[in-house]
Amino acid sequence: MLRPLTAALAAALCALPALAQAGEGNVPRFAEDPYTSTYEPVAAAPVLIRGATVLTGTGERLDGADVLMEGGRIRAVGQGLAAPEGAQVVDGTGKWVTPGIIDVHSHLGVYPSPGVRAHSDGNEMTNPVTAHVWAEHSVWPQDPGFAAALAGGVTSLQILPGSANLVGGRGVTLKNVHSTTVQGMKFPGAPHGLKMACGENPKRVYGQKSGPATRMGNMAGYRAAFIDAAEYLGKHQSSAESSNRRGRGDAGGSNGPGKRDLKLDTLAGAINGDVLVHIHCYRADEIAQMLDLAQEFNFQVAAFHHGVEAYKLADELAQANTCAALWADWWGFKMEALDGIQENVALVDRPEGSCAIVHSDSGEGIQRLNQEAAKVIASARRAGMEIAPERAIRWLTANPARSMGIADQVGTLEAGKMADVVLWNGNPFSSYALAENVWIDGALLYDRANPALQPRSDFVLGFGSKGGAR
């Protein structure tokens, strides 16, 4: 908003760049990151959660099961696991365990709390195409919203620029940990996202300036930008690779000579598959237009965001290996958001190979994404669609991870993955569910019963204390 799977799943994952790319040495120009992650997991003893109901995020529900975390990773999930020496044992009886929640669309840090103009750093409204700006350079790590989201079970999130522009800039994926620097929060090896926007926002912001003033102007603007990017990409490929100019798997072909252009770096990275494309787009006809644009320039759309009419194109989105990040029940607040239905997420979720996501785009909604997903389950039930918790949890964990290119590290409780885990006091899709404990990389970073493990940013230290002094 503008404001101050299965075999098919595996195939889709292959279409997105893997984290391993960052460590292979031959990093394309478009994936280079001079502001690399300095995140270091907190050291922690092994943890064994015993006897809980476990939603693995892979589509399984395990009753009376255990989850073992060790060395920052999931070591095992199953019944009757033995506790390693020195392990903390947590009684999970009557409780539920899920992977950490992942929000694919957040503006925490770029529109932090309190929401004052001095903090409004999410929209670079100076040109319709600002692909050169990076959201991470606006993130304020002291935003109290990060801690509030952690209390809601959010362990990773993508911070995106706003939607004022046709191309708003790069997003960044963060671990939801306290740090004085954004680099200390950056998810190691996660690819950048690219924020684009359809429809009313760009034409409203630029319609009285230099344009675009119409949707056809929007489309012309995207095409002009990608024509420049395709030419730039071609110039920066070696002759050996020039025959595959637009190939997304062409990871090594982007370090040729020539002056860098930060704007075209990002757009070329999108064509090349190094930067994952996320598009704010409400109407079905515009979503279809953007899929055509992607086909014209041979790039993959990782996810459409806010698609209140995505249900009209559920099959097409699945066939395109494209996710849809959606609200449970927000629509009607402007013309392009008029034709929403409460069954939207459930219908997008139906086709084989689909990738439905429940996202927040809200500093408040991110605190209860489990309840947002629960609304979808209830709406689907009223329409005759029964959705089990083991399927619905993927809207909050596995599917956003897939769209963000981090599914090989998080999103499911599988051996070897990062130990980002939430212990709930009951069914997470109940109105009464609360996250009791949140582990990130196996370290307990939130404990509802222990105020010492309820992080507060430096910004709020002193508020509420005697005398109100800071």
Side-chain angles (χ1 to χ4, degrees):
M1 300 177 72
L2 173 60
R3 57 187 169 90
L5 309 231
T6 63
L9 171 60
L13 286 171
C14 291
L16 298 175
L19 293 180
Q21 181 186 56
E24 291 175 352
N26 189 23
V27 178
R29 162 177 295 182
F30 317 121
E32 287 179 352
D33 186 356
Y35 312 99
T36 55
S37 172
T38 59
Y39 167 72
E40 293 187 5
V42 176
V47 177
L48 178 65
I49 305 173
R50 271 193 174 142
T53 299
V54 179
L55 303 179
T56 63
T58 63
E60 284 190 300
R61 167 178 169 162
L62 306 173
D63 293 310
D66 309 334
V67 176
L68 176 61
M69 299 174 260
E70 188 174 23
R73 297 279 168 173
I74 302 293
R75 287 301 173 203
V77 179
Q79 272 97 8
L81 301 181
E85 183 177 353
Q88 178 193 5
V89 179
V90 177
D91 183 6
T93 305
K95 302 178 182 179
W96 292 49
V97 177
T98 70
I101 291 176
I102 300 168
D103 190 4
V104 69
H105 191 122
S106 175
H107 299 300
L108 292 183
V110 298
Y111 288 122
S113 300
V116 298
R117 186 171 180 81
H119 279 165
S120 177
D121 290 312
N123 272 311
E124 180 65 22
M125 293 186 288
T126 54
N127 190 286
V129 178
T130 57
H132 53 293
V133 304
W134 294 20
E136 65 191 80
H137 297 139
S138 281
V139 170
W140 186 48
Q142 294 186 46
D143 182 357
F146 288 115
L150 183 67
V154 175
T155 53
S156 298
L157 62 171
Q158 177 173 235
I159 310 300
L160 292 167
S163 54
N165 299 344
L166 300 175
V167 181
R170 294 199 191 198
V172 62
T173 295
L174 304 178
K175 286 275 196 176
N176 193 12
V177 297
H178 178 69
S179 173
T180 53
T181 68
V182 70
Q183 290 98 332
M185 303 175 72
K186 285 180 74 171
F187 195 116
H192 280 112
L194 171 64
K195 176 68 178 298
M196 297 176 62
C198 299
E200 294 177 9
N201 285 3
K203 74 191 192 95
R204 183 175 72 242
V205 173
Y206 294 100
Q208 302 303 315
K209 301 177 183 176
S210 58
T214 62
R215 284 184 162 85
M216 60 186 173
N218 286 353
M219 199 69 181
Y222 309 130
R223 296 185 73 202
F226 277 103
I227 287 169
D228 289 345
E231 181 178 342
Y232 180 79
L233 179 59
K235 288 180 180 177
H236 289 82
Q237 284 182 316
S238 67
S239 58
E241 293 155 336
S242 61
S243 61
N244 188 27
R245 182 169 57 89
R246 293 172 177 170
R248 287 193 296 276
D250 184 14
S254 310
N255 292 318
K259 182 180 178 181
R260 292 184 61 180
D261 183 309
L262 294 179
K263 182 181 294 185
L264 295 178
D265 264 4
T266 294
L267 292 171
I271 296 175
N272 223 25
D274 299 312
V275 178
L276 306 186
V277 178
H278 294 262
I279 307 179
H280 155 128
C281 212
Y282 291 82
R283 289 187 351 195
D285 62 308
E286 288 194 273
I287 291 173
Q289 296 269 17
M290 298 306 278
L291 288 174
D292 287 345
L293 178 80
Q295 190 169 24
E296 178 182 3
F297 292 98
N298 198 20
F299 65 83
Q300 172 76 27
V301 180
F304 287 101
H305 296 222
H306 314 338
V308 299
E309 296 185 16
Y311 63 95
K312 300 178 182 179
L313 293 175
D315 291 334
E316 289 83 352
L317 289 168
Q319 289 167 9
N321 286 327
T322 295
C323 300
L326 309 168
W327 293 299
D329 55 3
W330 284 15
W331 79 87
F333 44 87
K334 54 182 174 177
M335 280 304 299
E336 64 183 354
L338 187 65
D339 206 9
I341 59 174
Q342 290 174 301
E343 299 83 3
N344 192 16
V345 174
L347 292 173
V348 169
D349 185 54
R350 286 170 69 92
E352 180 72 21
S354 65
C355 180
I357 297 168
V358 175
H359 69 347
S360 79
D361 186 27
S362 165
E364 295 183 358
I366 195 172
Q367 301 172 31
R368 45 184 177 275
L369 276 169
N370 59 313
Q371 294 182 9
E372 296 299 309
K375 292 180 188 176
V376 178
I377 294 173
S379 297
R381 182 173 296 142
R382 287 192 292 270
M385 294 179 284
E386 195 64 36
I387 299 175
E390 53 268 31
R391 182 171 184 87
I393 194 64
R394 301 193 306 184
W395 305 338
L396 303 177
T397 62
N399 290 353
R402 165 183 165 182
S403 75
M404 294 156 64
I406 55 175
D408 59 344
Q409 296 290 322
V410 291
T412 60
L413 300 179
E414 296 179 281
K417 288 198 173 182
M418 293 173 170
D420 293 357
V421 177
V422 183
L423 178 68
W424 303 87
N425 64 350
N427 184 335
F429 302 112
S430 162
S431 300
Y432 302 102
L434 294 171
E436 288 193 347
N437 296 134
V438 182
W439 290 267
I440 295 182
D441 288 313
L444 183 61
L445 298 188
Y446 177 81
D447 184 343
R448 190 168 293 276
N450 183 0
L453 279 173
Q454 297 173 12
R456 304 174 69 191
S457 77
D458 290 347
F459 177 72
V460 298
L461 287 177
F463 285 137
S465 64
K466 187 176 182 179
R470 300 189 67 220

